[in-house]
Amino acid sequence: MKIIISCFFLLLILVPLLASSVEKKVYIVYFGEHKHGEKAFHEIEKTHLSYLHSVKESEEDATSSLLYSYKHSINGFAARLTPDEASKLSGMEEVVSVFPSHGKYSVQTTRSWKFVGLDEGEDHSWNKFKMGGEDLLSKAKYGKNVIIGVMDSGVWPESPSFSDEGMDPTPKSWKGICQEGVGFNSSHCNKKIIGARYYVKGFESAHGPVNATEDYLSPRDMDGHGTHTASTAAGRQVSNVAALGGFARGTASGGAPLARLAIYKACWAIPNQPKANGNTCFAEDMLAAMDDAIADGVDILSVSIGTAEPLPFEDDTIGLGALHAAKRNILVVCSAGNNGPAPGTLSNAAPWVITVGASSLDRTFFAPLILGNGLKIIGQSVTPYKIKEQMYPLVYAGDVVVPGVPQNVTGQCLPGSLDPDKVKGKIVVCLRGAGLRVGKGIEVKRAGGVGFILANSEANGNDVLCDSHLLPANAVTYDDRTKILDYINSTKNPMAMIRPARTELHYKPAPFMAGFTSRGPNVVDPNVLKPDITAPGLNILAAWSEASSPSKIPDDHRSVKYNLYSGTSMSCPHVSGAAALLRAIHPDWSIAAIKSALMTTTGITNNIGRPITDSLGNIATPFQFGSGHFRPVKAADPGLIYDASYDDYLLYLCYAGPKALKEIKSAFKCPDEPPSSVNLNYPSFAIPNLNTTVAITRTVTNVGRRKSRYFFTAKPPAGVRVKASPSILHFNRVGQKQSFTITVSPRNDPTARKSEYGFGWYTWADGYYHVRSPMAVYLP
Ligand SMILES: *[C@@H]1O[C@H](CO)[C@@H](O)[C@H](O)[C@H]1NC(C)=O
Ligand SMILES: *[C@@H]1O[C@H](CO)[C@@H](O)[C@H](O)[C@H]1NC(C)=O
Ligand SMILES: *[C@@H]1O[C@H](CO)[C@@H](O)[C@H](O)[C@H]1NC(C)=O
Ligand SMILES: *[C@@H]1O[C@H](CO)[C@@H](O)[C@H](O)[C@H]1NC(C)=O
Ligand SMILES: *[C@@H]1O[C@H](CO)[C@@H](O)[C@H](O)[C@H]1NC(C)=O
């Protein structure tokens, strides 16, 4: 039986040139899209093996080198190959591309739902909604007919957040399984966790068998990250939970508390490293997980995984899997990454995924620190340990090191760096920068210190991260660090007192952008503005693995059910949960429509009515927050949407995809002159070099009132003129589409800033709806 292989698009043919060594590496051999209908899976595997056999010595050799045969929608396989074998395969007619695997991927309350207006009986005065959060939840039936897949480090199924009490039977459409393994059997799935699988062949190929003391060879989570993200997206409402020490007490809930969860574990503990260093996820394992998730029938896939630097399309496994998902109208929601504040750091930039940045909540852990000169500094702390409310000697770590500590790590409190004779009985100021945050506290404790102050670097700004330290602690902003160090330097006997901390709500201003959130511009395609949106990702409380510890470092033997954690990994599942509610309310919407609704209804001011800032108090830009802070309640009723189809994404790739695309036979016929990617029907736009007038086309679909008239307004950056034609759009029915052209041109303006990006907005408004899009324009 012959499989019809359609080579769609995408992916540069990577031929390793230095082919002298015969060392085998894992490669992914990609054929595009399956067209097999109900074809038997073993036939597909046989075909894949025949390709493999054609470059291998024997059938046994082919069979033993095969890791995965992707059978559902992704047509391809992963196998151990020599560079020579990989090169032979890439030369074959049907093969779209061959690319080497890598493990560059890593995983990067709750108050947050109240903060965005998605909770009952709470004051959302800074976010006035017509419809209350409770209305949205009940209209969406709390997401009970929606299935959210979570690709991460697994799950701790015993968490009360995953109870299935009172839930309806699993949807009939569900095709997934509950894969058994270490500490995980079929009874761990229920009507909440309706599926669980794990993918380890790529990991084991690189690192050898999973070490049972470091991870579970099963969907069970030994880390905490996957449990945290899954419960943020779709955890049940569990009242009266708190972090260690009673901080952040309240009701923990996912965005779609009755949505179903399907767990795809593709990230594993890095051997011989503290868990706090994060997990590692291999391209071929993730692709297998995504292929299964699509076939199992998830509606949304939440992916809090990324890379340290942006990956081009030909290397972007998550983007590739997400494109196959897009064909089936499955929305993939991704974290933007934690590599800020440097520009151009964001990952997961494919336009068919939602890329989520991270910002703060209006909750702080108010912790006064009194200096000997009377100066009171308000840090943050969630330490469960008590310290006497009295003055202790205060030292800067850089002044109390053992000889030989390198200059570049002085003040960092790295293991073994502090001199116990100079630290005993004192409070020590440690700087952030190198090493694990909780590890710094452990070093102070080892050297006999009574408490420590974790001081932000300039890059950290005001992102005060609340870790569960193992001694009394206080974390301070960069500004406060300067004050403390100045004080230490100004006196002979510096002293300080750490006072007890407490949880404070309604902190102002909030939100602000986290310093760590990865930034635009989108270096993969600067014509598409990324990230798309921001959501809470700073000190988020959610469920945790009881096999882990709150700090995930080896010397921490505490176990918790809920934990505070920070990252774009935490903001991503917030948007996944919200998208699940939109999917429930608008089952007929495309993924582009859901994304558009989320993006055009965002907030761009904080709770004091000012523009959202970065972590240093400067006004933040769309390169940090995309369209703005998500507002799920508004997103349910956006007025207009910018729709796009799967074919639109393929057309986009004709322009923006790798050059090799043009050389391969393709089922999707690219036009000879594909339109510029700036014309993808996206709810925002970016122009990377405005040296002449640029015309941008867009089409909006009416999903609001039947009869309506929308007016165009724009607030472009200085030195840029923006006009729309037509500038009034009339609609007579729901579902009606109207196209318009935006003309962007440079104009003389002495205040214009040259050789950098400027930011602005344009809006379609009918007096009720405000459909707002951001723009980023670079003036040469
Ligand atoms: C699954 O594991 C639990 C304990 O973890 C055990 O009580 C139960 O009997 C097991 N069920 C099956 C079907 O093996
Ligand atoms: C398994 O991991 C533990 C903890 O990291 C380590 O001590 C042990 O040596 C590892 N075992 C093997 C076989 O690598
Ligand atoms: C400090 O410098 C040493 C030697 O130059 C280098 O090996 C080390 O990685 C540096 N450490 C940090 C944290 O930058
Ligand atoms: C203290 O002051 C000295 C001299 O002005 C300076 O070199 C040093 O960096 C300061 N130390 C701190 C911790 O600010
Ligand atoms: C204008 O910018 C585009 C995009 O960067 C570039 O390709 C083109 O060469 C530029 N034209 C001029 C006249 O500088």
Side-chain angles (χ1 to χ4, degrees), residues 109 111 114 122 248-250 361-366 502-508 607:
T109 209
R111 177 71 186 161
K114 282 191 173 158
E122 181 69 9
R249 190 170 295 283
L361 283 179
D362 66 343
R363 177 180 62 203
T364 61
F365 303 96
F366 182 93
R502 62 170 192 270
T503 307
E504 287 244 318
L505 302 180
H506 310 295
Y507 175 82
K508 295 179 172 77
N607 57 2

Side-chain angles (χ1 to χ4, degrees), residues 371-373 394 483-491 493-495:
L371 303 181
N373 61 359
L394 176 69
K483 288 180 198 157
I484 295 166
L485 292 181
D486 285 351
Y487 162 67
I488 292 176
N489 234 355
S490 72
T491 177
N493 293 308
M495 305 287 283

